Amino acid sequence: MPTRALVTLPSILDNDFYKFTMQQGVVRLFQGASARYRFINRGKHSFPPGFAEALRASVDAMAELRLSREEKRFLQVTCPYLDPVYLDFLDGYRYNPEEVHIEQHGDQLQVHIEGLWYRTILWEVPIMSLICELYYIMQNENRISNDEVIQNIRQKIENYRSLGVNIAEFGTRRRYSYEVHRLVVQALRQYGEGSFVGTSNVHMAMAHQTKPIGTHAHEWFMFHAARYGFKMANAMGLENWVRVFRGDLGIALSDTYTTDVFFKQFDKMFSKLFDGVRHDSGDPLQFADKVIAHYQQLGIDPVSKTIIFSDALNYDKVARIAEHCQGRIGMSFGIGTNFTNDAGPKAMNIVIKMTEAHPQDGEWTEVVKLSDEHGKYTGSEQVINLSKTILNID
């Protein structure tokens, strides 16, 4: 079994789009804020000897990444809501590997990230993709052939197209490898006309001439809880998103502190201003019914709005959701691991989450994510219970 491996990423844009959109928000509003993140091994995977050293070398190599002139031009043309000041900032941005702390104790891996939030926000997704790819290399986990990857994706996207639904690729963080990811997007682009609408990966979007897709993640609202308190986290998170993007990027993530709490603050102004919401946990059919009822109660036609479904989707789940929502509300689907890590070996179940935030004029404050299912909670039991008490969650 090899104990040395190196995986290098091809581009600073090999990352999820919402990391860059959130980074613009942080650069604009929270320049002095700091953040801490931690790797969580949900799948209880055992890492081989030397894994930390291999990951360390791969993370160190990221210091060489920088925005090219062509990449900057792509963002200017494709994403006009990324302002010139931010793009100039990104042009000068360099990963600082000293912000990432990696240790291995036996077969268990520890990764911690700490630094200014506007800098550390970009680490999460590429580090997860590196962990996955290195794991399969060092475990000698062989995959299916390139032709099989392409045919597999062709069959999937043709099946989705038969349902008449829009499909985006959301699989960067837990991909089998960069090469498999590249083949997946290539096949989606080639065979997905009429269904495939884009990818969350900005580098892949540029390489395959499709749309980068995303808005914000849970950490946006988690930070706002540290800055403004749990009761104001959703409202201030939405308010500040509007301040930065003025109506663009209008899909709101709803489940950071449960959907029920979110909709208490997603009032008529926000409901009209935002194009829709994203589902990331809990029963998708129940969620759809709640969203439709919310819009109807406010006198808004649900058909004019969209739900982006993105929680562990496969064909059967998408077909069930599409049948339930057809004609009632707009819908689109973000497929992640089922696209980019269906190559033979079992997909990894890992996450990296913000654990603490330090607003510029505040102090280090633990943050939590509640979600609509307990298995996706992150944070200490003490602060989870505190947040539930403050938010009146049973």
Side-chain angles (χ1 to χ4, degrees):
M1 180 182 296
T3 58
R4 293 294 295 172
L6 177 68
V7 174
T8 56
L9 301 181
S11 166
I12 198 169
L13 297 185
D14 186 14
N15 204 331
D16 277 346
F17 185 49
Y18 66 21
K19 285 294 181 174
F20 299 105
T21 57
M22 287 191 298
Q23 188 180 49
Q24 172 166 300
V26 178
V27 168
R28 179 86 63 85
L29 303 177
F30 304 112
Q31 296 172 4
S34 296
R36 289 173 177 157
Y37 301 79
R38 179 171 65 89
F39 169 71
I40 303 171
N41 184 5
R42 282 181 177 165
K44 303 189 186 306
H45 306 283
S46 297
F47 291 88
F51 191 90
E53 288 85 349
L55 180 59
R56 177 79 265 168
S58 298
V59 167
D60 287 348
M62 290 176 63
E64 302 301 316
L65 297 174
R66 60 194 61 198
L67 195 70
S68 72
R69 183 177 302 174
E70 293 74 22
E71 289 171 332
K72 186 175 184 181
R73 179 63 179 159
F74 171 78
L75 294 176
Q76 288 170 329
V77 172
T78 310
C79 313
Y81 38 77
L82 296 180
D83 64 52
V85 173
Y86 170 68
L87 291 179
D88 282 349
F89 159 81
L90 188 61
D91 200 2
Y93 178 91
R94 303 291 182 269
Y95 281 107
N96 178 6
E98 293 180 3
E99 295 165 348
V100 182
H101 309 277
I102 303 168
E103 296 181 8
Q104 185 170 352
H105 301 282
D107 64 357
Q108 292 304 297
L109 179 70
Q110 294 182 358
V111 181
H112 298 273
I113 303 162
E114 180 177 340
L116 288 165
W117 190 25
Y118 76 82
R119 293 195 45 80
T120 55
I121 198 168
L122 293 190
W123 280 114
E124 173 195 346
V125 174
I127 288 180
M128 286 180 64
S129 70
L130 289 173
I131 289 172
C132 289
E133 186 161 356
L134 285 166
Y135 180 83
Y136 296 122
I137 291 172
M138 297 179 70
Q139 294 284 58
N140 288 319
E141 295 271 14
N142 295 322
R143 66 172 174 88
I144 58 178
S145 70
N146 288 359
D147 286 343
E148 288 173 306
V149 170
I150 292 170
Q151 289 308 311
N152 186 20
I153 296 301
R154 179 178 183 176
Q155 185 65 56
K156 288 182 179 183
I157 194 60
E158 289 178 349
N159 287 341
Y160 287 127
R161 185 168 57 200
S162 71
L163 295 175
V165 296
N166 290 333
I167 298 291
E169 181 277 308
F170 280 10
T172 304
R173 65 189 58 225
R174 283 182 285 265
R175 66 192 182 193
Y176 178 90
S177 66
Y178 171 81
E179 177 61 13
V180 166
H181 194 179
R182 185 187 67 78
L183 292 168
V184 165
V185 180
Q186 174 187 310
L188 289 170
R189 187 77 171 84
Q190 183 173 355
Y191 300 111
E193 185 176 355
S195 184
F196 177 59
V197 295
T199 170
S200 64
N201 186 291
V202 187
H203 166 69
M204 294 292 179
M206 179 178 170
H208 298 279
Q209 297 182 311
T210 189
K211 182 181 178 181
I213 293 177
T215 52
H216 47 243
H218 294 106
E219 69 179 286
W220 182 256
F221 297 97
M222 293 162 76
F223 173 84
H224 280 76
R227 175 66 179 82
Y228 301 103
F230 289 114
K231 280 191 175 292
M232 295 300 296
N234 284 322
M236 291 305 301
L238 295 171
E239 192 78 47
N240 280 328
W241 195 255
V242 172
R243 283 180 64 192
V244 175
F245 290 104
R246 312 301 298 172
D248 281 315
L249 302 176
I251 298 294
L253 182 59
S254 60
D255 71 332
T256 309
Y257 304 108
T258 75
T259 294
D260 289 340
V261 169
F262 176 84
F263 279 120
K264 289 176 183 176
Q265 296 183 317
F266 198 58
D267 62 14
K268 179 172 277 192
M269 182 189 76
F270 288 135
S271 295
K272 284 192 168 186
L273 183 57
F274 280 82
D275 301 319
V277 294
R278 179 159 73 91
H279 171 264
D280 195 53
S281 63
D283 186 303
L285 305 190
Q286 291 180 13
F287 178 84
D289 289 341
K290 285 181 182 179
V291 175
I292 291 167
H294 174 79
Y295 284 128
Q296 289 174 335
Q297 186 179 5
L298 295 175
I300 298 170
D301 183 1
V303 177
S304 69
K305 300 296 181 177
T306 298
I307 301 175
I308 307 292
F309 294 92
S310 62
D311 181 26
L313 298 178
N314 56 34
Y315 174 82
D316 290 339
K317 199 170 179 181
V318 170
R320 194 165 64 250
I321 295 168
E323 182 181 13
H324 187 77
C325 295
Q326 189 66 44
R328 301 175 67 206
I329 193 166
M331 56 185 155
S332 187
F333 299 86
I335 314 288
T337 306
N338 189 252
F339 273 164
T340 60
N341 206 337
D342 186 19
K346 185 178 179 180
M348 300 190 78
N349 185 5
I350 59 174
V351 294
I352 291 176
K353 288 295 179 185
M354 179 187 283
T355 56
E356 294 175 85
H358 191 306
Q360 182 167 356
D361 298 321
E363 57 190 20
W364 281 111
T365 302
E366 185 179 340
V367 297
V368 299
K369 177 173 79 79
L370 299 186
S371 182
D372 285 334
E373 56 187 87
H374 291 189
K376 286 191 168 185
Y377 282 12
T378 63
S380 71
E381 186 175 354
Q382 178 185 6
V383 180
I384 286 173
N385 289 336
L386 174 64
S387 67
K388 292 173 74 173
T389 298
I390 292 172
L391 295 170
N392 297 315
I393 298 171
D394 295 331

